[in-house]
Amino acid sequence: MERRWRILGGCGLIAGIFLFVQLGALALVQPFESAGYQAVEDPSDPTNSLMYIGAILVATAVMLLAFRYNVDQLIRGLIVFSSAWLSLYVFQVLVPPVFTYAGLNVVAVLLALGLGTALLVYPEWYVIDSAGAVMGAAAAGLFGISFGVLPALVLLTVLAVYDAISVYGTEHMLTLASGVMDLKVPVVLVIPMTLSYSYLDATAPDPTAESEESDESAAANDAAEGPATTATGTDADGPAVADGSQPADRPDEATETGDTDESADVHADPLERDALFIGLGDAIIPSILVASAAFFASADVLSVFGVPLPALTAMIGSYVGLTILLWMVLKGRAHAGLPLLNGGTIAGYIIGALAAGISLVDALGLGPYL
């Protein structure tokens, strides 16, 4: 029973991070627009989404090659730099420019550098999650003001299909997830099931593993030089050599969802895991539509607590998708996150838009093309 309460606490933490990203994006869209952070000239152009999707494919290929050729630390440095850079956008609009130098907000720069340094020096789970939450709110806000509703819908739809294919079909996302886990960067959110859990301890190299691997290599060499053995003798009687690409061989691995979807051991009881892992992209991508629906809403659209109704129902829809996703994951299987999360967000947005009196054509952003 205690373990189940811990699982509920972990799910609550995931929901809390998602909420922070969404509310943060909503709070940042106006300051970002005022600061001139809109990245495109025409936010209504759906080809903006296609360019971003192409960039994702290129980035995925580069990361897979980096892991294959053992230059993954270069990727780690790039992600940490990106985290600090995105956080700088946030701090520059939130921190009053009390001290400036060469046009830069000194306090904002120091805060961003502090976040990047913390990720490099001490990437414990709460450092990773805090950085990921700030990074996610910044990314969702930036894309929210740069993608109109139609480009945002295109982006969420295509990425949901891509996520499903890459997890259930080609499975290259699983390979990517395994490599990202070792980098200790906020591409993956770490959700501990106990207060005593330490991500640094869980991912620390096992000193006995190298010696065992050396012994196994020596035994394999001896076998190769000696008389031939039968398949039964080498496979059944000898030590099992684990495939290093399989995360099931790593201790304390937990279920992952979404862009970093992977299960440490799909047969293990999720209630016995020490941590859950969920991709930061699962929080960012649905939040783009939430931010876009709020930013590009007309002034006469019904609002609730200052949030346009379509954006609010999009948030609700994302949590419906998240609830279903977590229920499926806790049954002991890894799943692609974006089909459920994006599907729920899109459905919630459309329901809210129709309830607010917006026609379906206008809600989908198709008016200028019909």
Side-chain angles (χ1 to χ4, degrees):
M1 180 62 69
E2 179 184 358
R3 194 67 178 177
R4 292 182 181 276
W5 281 111
R6 291 174 180 174
I7 290 291
L8 289 176
C11 293
L13 178 57
I14 293 174
I17 294 175
F18 272 57
L19 183 62
F20 180 92
V21 170
Q22 292 179 345
L23 293 181
L26 290 174
L28 289 169
V29 287
Q30 290 298 338
F32 278 178
E33 194 271 340
S34 299
Y37 290 163
Q38 195 172 66
V40 297
E41 293 184 3
D42 183 9
S44 65
D45 185 356
T47 60
N48 296 335
S49 300
L50 301 180
M51 293 176 59
Y52 178 67
I53 292 166
I56 289 179
L57 296 176
V58 172
T60 300
V62 170
M63 292 179 71
L64 289 172
L65 288 173
F67 295 141
R68 181 170 184 174
Y69 293 103
N70 296 321
V71 290
D72 50 320
Q73 291 305 308
L74 180 63
I75 298 298
R76 181 171 190 258
L78 180 60
I79 294 175
V80 170
F81 173 79
S82 299
S83 300
W85 185 260
L86 281 172
S87 69
L88 180 60
Y89 279 93
V90 176
F91 297 140
Q92 282 189 142
V93 299
L94 295 183
V95 178
V98 179
F99 302 103
T100 60
Y101 179 77
L104 294 175
N105 186 328
V106 175
V107 176
V109 171
L110 290 177
L111 288 172
L113 289 175
L115 183 144
T117 302
L119 285 173
L120 284 175
V121 176
Y122 192 72
E124 188 51 272
W125 68 265
Y126 45 82
V127 175
I128 291 175
D129 289 356
S130 299
V134 174
M135 184 180 178
L142 289 171
F143 283 113
I145 65 173
S146 301
F147 285 9
V149 171
L150 177 58
L153 289 171
V154 171
L155 179 71
L156 266 66
T157 302
V158 174
L159 289 184
V161 174
Y162 170 70
D163 193 30
I165 293 174
S166 62
V167 172
Y168 303 128
T170 64
E171 298 186 357
H172 69 268
M173 195 62 71
L174 305 183
T175 303
L176 182 65
S178 180
V180 168
M181 287 291 297
D182 293 326
L183 297 184
K184 302 182 182 69
V185 290
V187 173
V188 175
L189 301 173
V190 185
I191 311 300
M193 296 295 101
T194 63
L195 294 177
S196 60
Y197 174 80
S198 171
Y199 184 54
L200 292 177
D201 292 342
T203 56
D206 185 356
T208 62
E210 295 184 1
S211 60
E212 290 176 358
E213 183 177 348
S214 299
D215 293 342
E216 291 172 7
S217 299
N221 292 334
D222 291 342
E225 296 171 358
T229 58
T230 64
T232 302
T234 54
D235 292 344
D237 302 330
V241 180
D243 181 356
S245 65
Q246 296 296 325
D249 301 318
R250 292 161 53 192
D252 301 323
E253 186 87 8
T255 300
E256 300 169 21
T257 64
D259 289 348
T260 53
D261 234 326
E262 185 167 31
S263 174
D265 182 358
V266 296
H267 302 293
D269 183 359
L271 298 182
E272 297 302 320
R273 301 183 189 276
D274 291 326
L276 298 176
F277 297 87
I278 188 165
L280 179 60
D282 286 347
I284 294 176
I285 302 301
S287 301
I288 293 175
L289 179 58
V290 173
S292 176
F295 182 73
F296 291 100
S298 60
D300 58 348
V301 170
L302 176 64
S303 295
V304 180
F305 302 115
V307 179
L309 183 60
L312 181 62
T313 53
M315 292 177 62
I316 295 172
S318 71
Y319 282 100
V320 173
L322 178 63
T323 300
I324 298 173
L325 176 63
L326 292 176
W327 175 76
M328 294 172 66
V329 166
L330 292 175
K331 291 173 69 71
R333 300 290 301 181
H335 292 278
L338 292 184
L340 285 168
L341 294 167
N342 290 1
T345 305
I346 292 172
Y349 164 75
I350 293 176
I351 291 173
L354 295 177
I358 303 173
S359 68
L360 182 60
V361 170
D362 290 336
L364 297 178
L366 296 176
Y369 304 97
L370 298 177

